[in-house]
Amino acid sequence: MPATLKDIAAKLNISVSTASYAINGGPRSVPAEVKQRVLDTARELGYRPNRIARSLVAGKTMTLGVVPVQITIDLAVVPYFQEAFNGVVNEAELLEYDVLLFTRAFADPDRLADVLLDGRVDGLIFFAPNIDSPVLSRIRESRFPFVVINNQIEGTEPCFSADNRQGITVAVEHLVSLGHKRIAHIHGPLEMFDAVERHHAFLEAMVGHRLEVRKEWLLDGQFTPMGGHTAACRLLSMADRPTAVVCANDEIATGVYRAAWEMGVQIPTELSVVGFDNNASAQVLLPRLTTIRQPLEEMGAASAKAIVEMLNGGKPPHQQFQTELIVRESTTRPVEVS
Amino acid sequence: MPATLKDIAAKLNISVSTASYAINGGPRSVPAEVKQRVLDTARELGYRPNRIARSLVAGKTMTLGVVPVQITIDLAVVPYFQEAFNGVVNEAELLEYDVLLFTRAFADPDRLADVLLDGRVDGLIFFAPNIDSPVLSRIRESRFPFVVINNQIEGTEPCFSADNRQGITVAVEHLVSLGHKRIAHIHGPLEMFDAVERHHAFLEAMVGHRLEVRKEWLLDGQFTPMGGHTAACRLLSMADRPTAVVCANDEIATGVYRAAWEMGVQIPTELSVVGFDNNASAQVLLPRLTTIRQPLEEMGAASAKAIVEMLNGGKPPHQQFQTELIVRESTTRPVEVS
DNA sequence: CTGAAAGCGCTTACAG
DNA sequence: CTGAAAGCGCTTACAG
């Protein structure tokens, strides 16, 4: 039972409105002497304004909701999430908003929408939702402010995504310019928009360079180290092996490194590896990983900024972020197999 | 302007109480026919119960606050935080609580306490606070429910920590049993409780084995890859080099690997490396890192569970988690330098 | 059985 | 200048 304005008012024989004005320093002025007494007894009683009550009258909560539609368990351990989330959190701090993470997974999109729209946050940020996200339609219907990171968006709400196509295109060009012709791709789960875009872009780039796309060199790596490991083990035990592999994210690359290590395959001399994301693990791998940087943190920050802009009546535009190939030590010329 | 109970009641010419009972399915019964009409118009108007209002009358918010006292910026990118946070989030989902992350850093402990105690959460979980945390005293005074992960605690509130001493002791024993005598330690920032405990434990273990502790082999690695890299560069360029190094966390070990790679020092043959935490990067390093596992996720989960127990009137006890040495490939016998 | 009313802790327009 | 009152959107004890 924390102290309330009523307690202070009662103790001082003044009205709660006066107490309120004194505590908030306005908008009505309060005589200095009264104000001081209010402040003193507030301190004495350990009074702290109740933000729930304040939110109710203000009609806003000063908090942003983050909704990771895709993953539910072990979410905070996925690098992709971590970086975008970090961007949101850093920016939210600057904007003086707090961040509520919605973790409850509901099979029913209606129930999920109910939870997201229950008034606890002023706006929502969706992280890399599945391509088919019925929740988004629900939220859209309710006209609640939201933005989306990395997804194709039907409506007009702001969407922040990386140029996956460009990234993959540049990566394949890089490999081709080194002399690679035999290039494999380990893709992510094809229910995810990013995975699909990168996969498409890979195929297009290969065709563009008139290189053969072998079905058995197109494997699912699930965006995880284990997926990458499994795929790479298959790839590396083929009699007819690729000289390079484009991984749909760095986590997959991590698994490829392990597989190569276990099978005694040298990176980059026997296998060139390209990742995607440039997250922390890319910095840990040795030789250092050549990868496509996706500015996830900026994207997270931009999405937080956009939501707040919308709350202030603005209409922030979609934004596509350029990717950047970071050439490090995991790619080199293929060995001649003549 | 979302629909409210009042809107439904007005439209149906019934009282808000009836509407409320119909929506909530109790505690008072409502005739089936009326109930159906309420539900129908609720759907029609897109009505969703306002949780802020509900929280205000219930006096609880069903959300848990996570407070990372130590770090403010780039928080969500620190593995330590990620894993403990993941534990909290997973458990919170099971308990049907949401998680609010407090990110605002206030120099003034009173202001911070005001924010933490403003009624938005039912309980607080503090992450690895600095040894000297004035905020904790403020929260304690207010008798607000809170628990702490990894810190020495003055009061009686539940505290969940790993047995750092045991971990380091076992690690040193492991190295000694392999024949190492020349052992270095790269410690964390000594304002942090964990760093101090591990540092102390290292010194004690060395003394216990009657091994010489060289001052120049005791370096600060700041719990970061860069810190570890810098420290290891110094260590490895000494004429008189250690044969093994105990890193205060895995991130430091990551930097040590890089330094060794750059300087052409082979791990483990020329340098044995032990980490602490067993986080994701430990799985990425090759050769695979021998490390001390600290069950951060369990600790996070336990803390969430404890808070909820407290909210239900319980009094959960302190809990110290055992650590476990995971021997992998980064430690071996030292080469004879005779 | 159901409606009107009080109250959660605030803010702020309205009276005096 | 300050107090009483209404209202934010709910829940629930109290009347009828």
Side-chain angles (χ1 to χ4, degrees):
Chain A
M1 53 218 75
T4 68
L5 282 182
K6 209 163 121 186
D7 297 332
I8 298 180
K11 188 145 188 182
L12 257 39
N13 270 316
I14 57 174
S15 70
V16 291
S17 42
T18 305
S20 170
Y21 293 125
I23 294 283
N24 294 321
R28 179 201 282 180
S29 74
V30 174
E33 187 258 353
V34 176
K35 188 168 178 175
Q36 193 51 54
R37 278 166 54 211
V38 170
L39 261 30
D40 287 347
T41 64
R43 163 166 304 259
E44 184 189 331
L45 298 179
Y47 171 77
R48 314 183 197 263
N50 181 314
R51 185 136 133 194
I52 295 289
R54 209 173 249 180
S55 293
L56 186 60
V57 349
K60 57 186 185 174
T61 61
M62 296 300 285
T63 107
L64 265 25
V66 167
V67 192
V69 180
Q70 174 61 15
I71 328 141
T72 59
I73 197 143
D74 286 338
L75 168 79
V77 133
V78 176
Y80 179 99
F81 170 81
Q82 290 160 356
E83 291 180 42
F85 189 64
N86 197 45
V88 172
V89 164
N90 284 346
E91 186 66 29
E93 147 128 45
L94 293 177
L95 297 168
E96 306 203 313
Y97 275 75
D98 286 299
V99 175
L100 183 76
L101 178 61
F102 286 94
T103 58
R104 246 77 81 59
F106 295 104
D108 180 4
D110 283 313
R111 273 202 68 193
L112 178 52
D114 286 347
V115 169
L116 299 180
L117 298 174
D118 69 4
R120 246 139 70 252
V121 300
D122 294 338
L124 293 168
I125 301 174
F126 287 84
F127 276 26
N130 282 0
I131 289 171
D132 172 34
S133 252
V135 198
L136 289 190
S137 333
R138 302 293 187 295
I139 311 292
R140 189 158 18 231
E141 282 164 22
S142 76
R143 326 186 96 258
F144 194 81
F146 76 96
V147 303
V148 175
I149 293 184
N150 270 348
N151 200 359
Q152 199 169 28
I153 206 71
E154 317 267 301
T156 56
E157 42 287 299
C159 173
F160 302 90
S161 53
D163 192 340
N164 288 308
R165 173 169 311 266
Q166 175 217 27
I168 292 288
T169 305
V170 172
V172 171
E173 250 160 38
H174 167 64
L175 290 172
V176 169
S177 76
L178 285 171
H180 290 275
K181 293 181 163 42
R182 308 159 59 76
I183 308 177
H185 178 50
I186 306 182
H187 60 76
L190 296 179
E191 310 85 57
M192 290 183 73
F193 181 65
D194 280 354
V196 170
E197 268 209 345
R198 292 173 199 171
H199 188 243
H200 277 357
F202 176 79
L203 298 180
E204 275 193 19
M206 290 293 279
V207 169
H209 289 285
R210 309 188 164 281
L211 293 176
E212 184 190 5
V213 176
R214 300 230 201 142
K215 252 224 219 93
E216 66 272 27
W217 290 355
L218 251 29
L219 295 166
D220 188 354
Q222 288 296 320
F223 275 162
T224 65
M226 208 171 50
H229 180 264
T230 307
C233 283
R234 268 219 270 165
L235 228 41
L236 293 177
S237 55
M238 293 177 182
D240 201 26
R241 254 200 221 162
T243 58
V245 56
V246 174
C247 304
N249 74 352
D250 290 347
E251 295 214 80
I252 289 176
T254 275
V256 172
Y257 268 61
R258 175 170 306 289
W261 167 268
E262 288 166 0
M263 301 175 71
V265 173
Q266 287 290 327
I267 297 171
T269 43
E270 296 176 84
L271 182 73
S272 284
V273 181
V274 180
F276 201 115
D277 279 350
N278 192 38
N279 63 31
S281 60
Q283 322 272 0
V284 171
L285 290 171
L286 297 170
R288 294 155 70 219
L289 181 67
T290 294
T291 192
I292 301 149
R293 188 179 105 86
Q294 167 182 213
L296 280 171
E297 300 217 7
E298 288 165 50
M299 290 159 65
S303 68
K305 211 180 289 187
I307 275 287
V308 174
E309 203 180 323
M310 289 168 80
L311 295 176
N312 296 329
K315 194 112 191 48
H318 289 228
Q319 211 173 327
Q320 190 173 56
F321 291 77
Q322 293 304 97
T323 55
E324 175 196 2
L325 180 72
I326 303 182
V327 178
R328 291 201 274 239
E329 301 154 358
S330 67
T331 45
T332 190
R333 316 190 69 79
V335 291
E336 301 299 324
V337 205
S338 61
Chain B
M1 55 218 75
T4 68
L5 282 183
K6 210 162 121 186
D7 297 331
I8 298 179
K11 186 146 190 182
L12 257 40
N13 270 317
I14 58 173
S15 69
V16 292
S17 42
T18 303
S20 168
Y21 293 125
I23 294 283
N24 294 319
R28 180 201 280 179
S29 75
V30 174
E33 187 259 352
V34 176
K35 189 167 177 175
Q36 193 51 54
R37 278 167 53 213
V38 170
L39 262 29
D40 287 346
T41 64
R43 161 164 308 258
E44 183 190 330
L45 299 178
Y47 171 77
R48 314 185 196 262
N50 181 314
R51 188 140 130 190
I52 295 289
R54 209 173 246 180
S55 292
L56 187 60
V57 347
K60 57 184 184 175
T61 61
M62 297 299 284
T63 108
L64 265 24
V66 167
V67 191
V69 181
Q70 175 59 16
I71 327 139
T72 59
I73 197 144
D74 285 339
L75 169 77
V77 132
V78 176
Y80 180 99
F81 170 81
Q82 290 160 354
E83 292 181 42
F85 188 65
N86 197 44
V88 171
V89 164
N90 283 347
E91 186 67 30
E93 148 129 43
L94 294 177
L95 298 167
E96 307 203 313
Y97 275 75
D98 287 299
V99 175
L100 182 76
L101 179 60
F102 286 95
T103 59
R104 245 80 79 59
F106 295 104
D108 181 3
D110 283 313
R111 273 203 67 192
L112 178 53
D114 286 348
V115 169
L116 299 179
L117 297 174
D118 68 5
R120 244 140 70 253
V121 299
D122 294 338
L124 293 168
I125 302 174
F126 287 85
F127 275 26
N130 282 0
I131 289 172
D132 171 33
S133 253
V135 198
L136 289 189
S137 333
R138 302 292 187 294
I139 310 292
R140 187 155 25 228
E141 282 165 21
S142 75
R143 325 186 96 259
F144 194 82
F146 76 96
V147 304
V148 175
I149 293 184
N150 269 348
N151 199 359
Q152 199 169 27
I153 206 73
E154 317 267 300
T156 55
E157 44 286 301
C159 173
F160 303 90
S161 53
D163 193 339
N164 288 307
R165 174 170 309 268
Q166 176 218 25
I168 292 288
T169 305
V170 172
V172 171
E173 249 160 36
H174 167 63
L175 290 173
V176 168
S177 76
L178 286 171
H180 290 276
K181 291 180 164 41
R182 309 158 59 78
I183 309 177
H185 178 50
I186 306 183
H187 59 77
L190 297 179
E191 311 84 57
M192 290 184 72
F193 182 65
D194 280 354
V196 171
E197 269 209 345
R198 293 173 199 170
H199 188 242
H200 277 358
F202 176 79
L203 298 181
E204 276 193 19
M206 290 293 278
V207 169
H209 288 287
R210 308 187 166 282
L211 293 175
E212 186 191 3
V213 176
R214 299 230 200 143
K215 251 223 219 94
E216 65 272 26
W217 290 356
L218 252 30
L219 294 165
D220 188 354
Q222 289 295 323
F223 275 162
T224 66
M226 208 173 47
H229 180 264
T230 308
C233 284
R234 268 218 270 165
L235 227 42
L236 294 177
S237 55
M238 292 178 183
D240 201 26
R241 256 202 220 160
T243 59
V245 56
V246 174
C247 303
N249 73 353
D250 289 347
E251 294 215 80
I252 289 175
T254 276
V256 171
Y257 268 61
R258 175 169 307 286
W261 167 269
E262 289 167 358
M263 300 174 71
V265 173
Q266 288 290 325
I267 296 173
T269 44
E270 295 176 84
L271 181 72
S272 285
V273 181
V274 180
F276 202 115
D277 279 350
N278 192 39
N279 62 32
S281 59
Q283 323 270 2
V284 172
L285 290 171
L286 298 170
R288 293 157 69 219
L289 181 67
T290 295
T291 192
I292 301 149
R293 188 179 105 85
Q294 167 180 214
L296 279 171
E297 301 216 5
E298 288 166 49
M299 290 158 65
S303 67
K305 210 181 289 187
I307 275 288
V308 174
E309 203 180 321
M310 289 168 79
L311 295 175
N312 295 329
K315 194 112 192 49
H318 289 227
Q319 210 173 328
Q320 190 172 54
F321 291 77
Q322 292 304 98
T323 56
E324 175 195 2
L325 181 71
I326 303 183
V327 178
R328 293 201 272 238
E329 302 153 359
S330 68
T331 46
T332 189
R333 318 190 69 78
V335 292
E336 301 299 325
V337 205
S338 61

